[in-house]
Amino acid sequence: MFSYQHAFHAGNHADVLKHVVLIQTLAYAIQKEAPVFYVDTHAGSGVYSLKGAQAQKSAESETGIHKLWPEKEVPAHIADYLNLIHEMNPSGRLQYYPGSPFIAEKVLRSHDRLRLYELHPAEIQNLAKNFQELAKQEQLGGGRPAGRGKRVIVDRNDGFAALKAVLPPPGRRAVVLIDPPYENKMDYQKVVESMADAMKRFPTGTYLIWYPVLQRHESQRFAERLKKTVNQEWLNVTLSIGSQTPDGFGLVSSGMFVVNPPWKLAEELKETMPYLVSVLQKDSGAAYLLETGTGKS
C-alpha cells in the first residue's frame, strides 16, 4: 500500500490541471474575509525536486510544467500558476515543483487553516520537514511563520478517515482536495463513499477530486458515479494530452471533479483549457472536456 510516491509524477500534465484548478478555487475562497479551512487528504511531500532521481527517471514533468515554463503570453490564470512556481525557483531555472500543500499555503492567508494528511511514512516525513524549512525561511524573511500555532497541521493519518473527523469544519467554510493515487482500485470506491458522507456532514463545502482517466473499468465509470452521489452543483473537467496507446499503459488524461465550484470557474476554464491543450498536446488526440450540472443526475 506504500508503493506510490508522487516524486515520479511531479509537474506532469495531471499536476498542471490539478494545480491550476486548485489555485483558481482558493483565490475565490479568500475573497471573503471569513477564514478558510483547507483539507488535503493525500498531501504527499509538499515539494519535489525535478532534478532528483525519481523525477529524472520518469521525466513526466516534460509533459507538463517543462512545456509551460518558457511560455510568456499566457492566460491570466495560467500566469497565476506559473508565478507561484517561479517564486519557488528564483534562480530562473526550474528545479523545484510545489505539491498541493505548498500551493495552498502560498495562496491562503495567515488566518486560514490547513490540515494536511498523509499515510506514506517517507512522504509524511518529507512533508513535515519541508514545512519546518518553510517556517524557518518565513521567519528569516520577516513573513508569517508557515507552521505557527495551529495554522498548518501535518498529520500521519488516513485522509479518508480524517475527513470524517473534521467535517463540518470550524467557521463552516472549507476547500477539500481529495487526491489518492488510485493504484489500488478501491480508492475509487473510497472517494465515492467519502463524498456521500461529506454531503451529509457538510454539503456546502467545496470539494476538488482529482482522478486519472484510464481504460480500467473503475476509472471509466468514476465521474458518472460522482454525479449520482453529490446533491450540489458540480463541474467536471478533463485534460487529454494525446491519444491513449493501444496497450493502455501510460497516463495521458486526467480530470478534476469539483463540487460547489466557484461561480466563474467554468467560464474561466473555457479560456484556460484550450490553451493547455495547445501547449501540452503530444498528438492530435489532445482535447479537453468541460461539463457542469446540478444535484444528483
Side-chain angles (χ1 to χ4, degrees):
M1 65 179 294
F2 293 136
S3 62
Y4 180 88
Q5 288 187 280
H6 192 67
F8 288 100
H9 315 288
N12 68 2
H13 59 89
D15 264 1
V16 171
L17 173 65
K18 174 171 57 182
H19 294 149
V20 166
V21 174
L22 176 61
I23 291 170
Q24 288 179 254
T25 302
L26 291 175
Y28 275 104
I30 63 175
Q31 288 182 4
K32 294 183 179 180
E33 179 59 26
V36 175
F37 191 78
Y38 173 77
V39 180
D40 202 322
T41 63
H42 297 75
S45 293
V47 179
Y48 304 93
S49 170
L50 298 181
K51 302 298 184 182
Q54 293 167 318
Q56 291 286 304
K57 181 176 181 180
S58 66
E60 287 193 21
S61 63
E62 298 294 338
T63 71
I65 186 56
H66 269 101
K67 284 190 172 182
L68 284 169
W69 182 254
E71 292 290 307
K72 303 299 181 184
E73 300 288 331
V74 302
H77 297 292
I78 300 297
D80 292 340
Y81 163 74
L82 287 176
N83 287 340
L84 193 150
I85 298 173
H86 275 280
E87 287 181 19
M88 182 166 279
N89 296 274
S91 69
R93 292 179 298 164
L94 182 56
Q95 300 182 72
Y96 299 104
Y97 189 84
S100 50
F102 260 53
I103 287 174
E105 198 283 328
K106 289 297 184 185
V107 176
L108 293 174
R109 304 156 300 182
S110 60
H111 64 287
D112 298 320
R113 298 291 178 263
L114 296 84
R115 299 296 179 264
L116 313 175
Y117 300 104
E118 178 58 54
L119 205 52
H120 192 292
E123 297 276 55
I124 190 67
Q125 184 178 12
N126 288 334
L127 181 64
K129 185 186 303 181
N130 285 329
F131 265 91
Q132 288 169 2
E133 182 61 30
L134 179 61
K136 291 178 183 177
Q137 292 176 4
E138 292 281 3
Q139 289 174 328
L140 290 173
R144 66 173 184 252
R148 183 192 61 200
K150 295 182 178 180
R151 181 174 183 269
V152 179
I153 291 181
V154 176
D155 186 0
R156 185 179 181 187
N157 206 337
D158 176 2
F160 293 119
L163 184 58
K164 292 183 179 182
V166 298
L167 295 181
R172 314 288 297 191
R173 297 189 69 225
V175 175
V176 177
L177 176 63
I178 303 175
D179 177 26
Y182 297 100
E183 285 200 328
N184 184 334
K185 66 180 182 180
M186 288 304 297
D187 279 347
Y188 295 95
Q189 180 62 27
K190 288 179 179 178
V191 172
V192 172
E193 291 173 354
S194 290
M195 286 310 305
D197 182 77
M199 289 296 94
K200 296 175 184 177
R201 294 175 185 267
F202 187 53
T204 57
T206 297
Y207 301 87
L208 298 90
I209 303 159
W210 177 85
Y211 62 98
V213 179
L214 304 169
Q215 290 186 325
R216 66 191 302 177
H217 180 66
E218 295 82 10
S219 177
Q220 293 292 321
R221 297 178 55 242
F222 188 57
E224 295 304 316
R225 293 183 66 191
L226 288 173
K227 294 174 190 177
K228 295 175 181 178
T229 299
V230 304
N231 50 17
Q232 301 290 325
E233 291 187 1
W234 54 263
L235 177 152
N236 185 44
V237 57
T238 64
L239 170 65
S240 301
I241 62 168
S243 305
Q244 181 66 58
T245 58
D247 59 14
F249 289 107
L251 180 69
V252 296
S253 181
S254 68
M256 285 288 280
F257 191 94
V258 185
V259 182
N260 294 318
W263 68 283
K264 277 192 172 183
L265 182 59
E267 178 183 335
E268 290 163 354
L269 287 173
K270 288 179 182 178
E271 176 186 10
T272 303
M273 296 309 297
Y275 174 80
L276 289 180
V277 169
S278 69
V279 175
L280 302 184
Q281 64 179 322
K282 68 173 188 177
D283 61 42
S284 60
Y288 78 94
L289 168 70
L290 178 61
E291 52 183 354
T292 59
T294 305
K296 297 184 178 181
S297 57

